[in-house]
């Protein structure tokens, strides 16, 4: 609902969002165009505007798209954020993979700011040698992209509308945190999102509290140097949560977060 409120996404019907549905390449092009246009409207730094669509489709299978989709695909192609395939097609009805989404977001950041997010750490085991590894690791480093389980990102897996919304929101959080944009949301910063692209936590009952019990020594693994914390509720229920140091999560030497 956050992204619907600021015009980045719309529902699949007047009353449904279809969070588990997949995202097509045409849909993602429109989402990214709206994202860039929004960022340009609320920028605090000089971020690059999308070029006006020149009216000439760059791909052989785009001419029959609606005007909104054709324009979005055209603008992003001109900006070199999206590209087609070797046969001259864009394949707008194909579903987006996780590696493609990471590429779109990192190219968007490079277009807006002049440089992509750096790829300076290895956060996942299953993308080693994959074409999407640099973008997946770069976005994981700033907290935008998260794996499906520890060390696993499933680069060729499909992306749901829920996951897409969380990724777009995290990107806005990063830009806001770096002072590049004003908050697009009334009242301040973009709201925090749950890890893994999920649908959000259930609000606790009135008076409920959670306590974080840091381990005596950092519990690290060799994938992105994640540190494990144990959350304990008043009823004694505990759950282990792995956090990775990033722009949104700071793991201090004394194990506080």
């Amino acid at each position: 609902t956050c992204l619907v409120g600021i015009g980045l996404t719309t529902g699949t019907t007047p009353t449904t969002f279809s969070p588990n549905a997949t995202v097509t390449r045409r849909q993602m092009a429109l989402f990214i165009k709206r994202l860039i246009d929004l960022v340009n409207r609320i920028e605090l730094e000089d971020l690059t505007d999308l070029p006006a669509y020149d009216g000439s489709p760059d791909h052989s299978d785009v001419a029959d798209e609606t005007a909104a989709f054709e324009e979005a695909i055209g603008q992003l192609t001109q900006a070199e954020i999206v590209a087609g395939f070797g046969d001259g097609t864009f394949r707008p009805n194909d579903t987006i993979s996780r590696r493609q989404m990471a590429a779109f977001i990192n190219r968007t950041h490079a277009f807006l700011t002049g440089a992509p997010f750096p790829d300076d750490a290895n956060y996942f085991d299953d993308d080693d040698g994959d074409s999407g590894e640099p973008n997946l690791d770069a976005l994981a480093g700033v907290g935008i992209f998260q794996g499906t389980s520890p060390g696993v990102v499933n680069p060729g897996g499909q992306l749901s509308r829920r996951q897409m919304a969380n990724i777009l929101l995290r990107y806005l959080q990063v830009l806001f945190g770096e002072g590049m944009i004003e908050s697009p949301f009334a009242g301040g910063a973009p709201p925090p999102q749950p890890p893994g692209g999920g649908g959000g936590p259930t609000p606790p009952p009135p008076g409920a509290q959670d306590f974080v019990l840091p381990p005596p020594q950092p519990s690290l693994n060799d994938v992105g140097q994640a540190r494990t914390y144990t959350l304990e509720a008043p009823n004694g229920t505990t759950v282990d949560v792995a956090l990775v140091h990033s722009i949104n999560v700071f793991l201090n030497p004394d194990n506080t977060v």
Side-chain angles (χ1 to χ4, degrees), residues 113-255:
T113 68
F117 291 113
D119 167 26
D120 52 13
N122 180 33
Y123 291 94
F124 309 108
D125 293 328
D126 66 333
D127 67 347
D128 292 346
D130 188 271
S131 62
E133 182 179 11
N135 291 313
L136 290 164
D137 283 337
L139 266 62
V142 292
I144 295 173
F145 224 94
Q146 299 170 352
T148 56
S149 61
V152 177
V153 70
N154 189 17
Q158 295 179 335
L159 197 77
S160 71
R161 286 171 60 86
R162 173 192 296 112
Q163 292 167 331
M164 174 275 303
N166 282 337
I167 290 169
L168 296 182
L169 183 53
R170 291 185 192 123
Y171 182 54
L172 288 174
Q173 287 176 312
V174 170
L175 294 182
F176 177 79
E178 293 184 351
M180 294 184 178
I181 61 170
E182 299 175 352
S183 172
F185 302 94
Q193 290 297 293
T202 302
Q209 292 181 314
D210 288 332
F211 300 91
V212 178
L213 307 177
Q217 297 294 325
S219 176
L220 298 176
N221 62 32
D222 60 359
V223 181
Q225 293 296 292
R227 190 173 298 170
T228 300
Y229 292 80
T230 299
L231 303 183
E232 181 176 345
N235 65 2
T237 302
T238 62
V239 61
D240 289 337
V241 177
L243 298 178
V244 177
H245 182 91
S246 71
I247 195 169
N248 297 335
V249 178
F250 298 92
L251 306 180
N252 301 312
D254 63 357
N255 280 340

Side-chain angles (χ1 to χ4, degrees), residues 4-238:
V4 172
I6 59 175
L8 286 192
T9 67
T10 60
T12 52
T13 74
T15 58
T16 60
F17 182 75
S18 304
N20 294 322
T22 55
V23 181
T24 65
R25 287 171 59 84
R26 71 162 61 85
Q27 291 168 333
M28 184 49 60
L30 190 55
F31 292 146
I32 296 293
K33 169 191 161 50
R34 290 171 180 162
L35 174 73
I36 295 174
D37 287 346
L38 170 66
V39 166
N40 289 142
R41 291 196 299 271
I42 58 176
E43 65 185 20
L44 295 175
E45 296 185 6
D46 187 16
L47 303 175
T48 307
D49 293 344
L50 277 176
Y53 178 43
D54 60 13
S56 177
D58 296 279
H59 311 285
S60 60
D61 56 350
V62 170
D64 292 335
E65 294 291 316
T66 66
F69 286 128
E70 180 184 332
E71 179 183 47
I73 294 168
Q75 287 182 281
L76 296 188
T77 300
Q78 291 169 218
E80 299 184 352
I81 294 172
V82 303
F85 295 87
D87 61 359
T89 63
F90 184 76
R91 303 179 192 175
N93 202 45
D94 282 6
T95 55
I96 285 288
S97 69
R98 294 169 64 82
R99 73 166 66 86
Q100 289 172 333
M101 180 66 182
F104 283 0
I105 294 295
N106 210 19
R107 290 176 194 156
T108 293
H109 191 68
F111 172 77
L112 285 168
T113 68
F117 291 113
D119 167 26
D120 52 13
N122 180 33
Y123 291 94
F124 309 108
D125 293 328
D126 66 333
D127 67 347
D128 292 346
D130 188 271
S131 62
E133 182 179 11
N135 291 313
L136 290 164
D137 283 337
L139 266 62
V142 292
I144 295 173
F145 224 94
Q146 299 170 352
T148 56
S149 61
V152 177
V153 70
N154 189 17
Q158 295 179 335
L159 197 77
S160 71
R161 286 171 60 86
R162 173 192 296 112
Q163 292 167 331
M164 174 275 303
N166 282 337
I167 290 169
L168 296 182
L169 183 53
R170 291 185 192 123
Y171 182 54
L172 288 174
Q173 287 176 312
V174 170
L175 294 182
F176 177 79
E178 293 184 351
M180 294 184 178
I181 61 170
E182 299 175 352
S183 172
F185 302 94
Q193 290 297 293
T202 302
Q209 292 181 314
D210 288 332
F211 300 91
V212 178
L213 307 177
Q217 297 294 325
S219 176
L220 298 176
N221 62 32
D222 60 359
V223 181
Q225 293 296 292
R227 190 173 298 170
T228 300
Y229 292 80
T230 299
L231 303 183
E232 181 176 345
N235 65 2
T237 302
T238 62

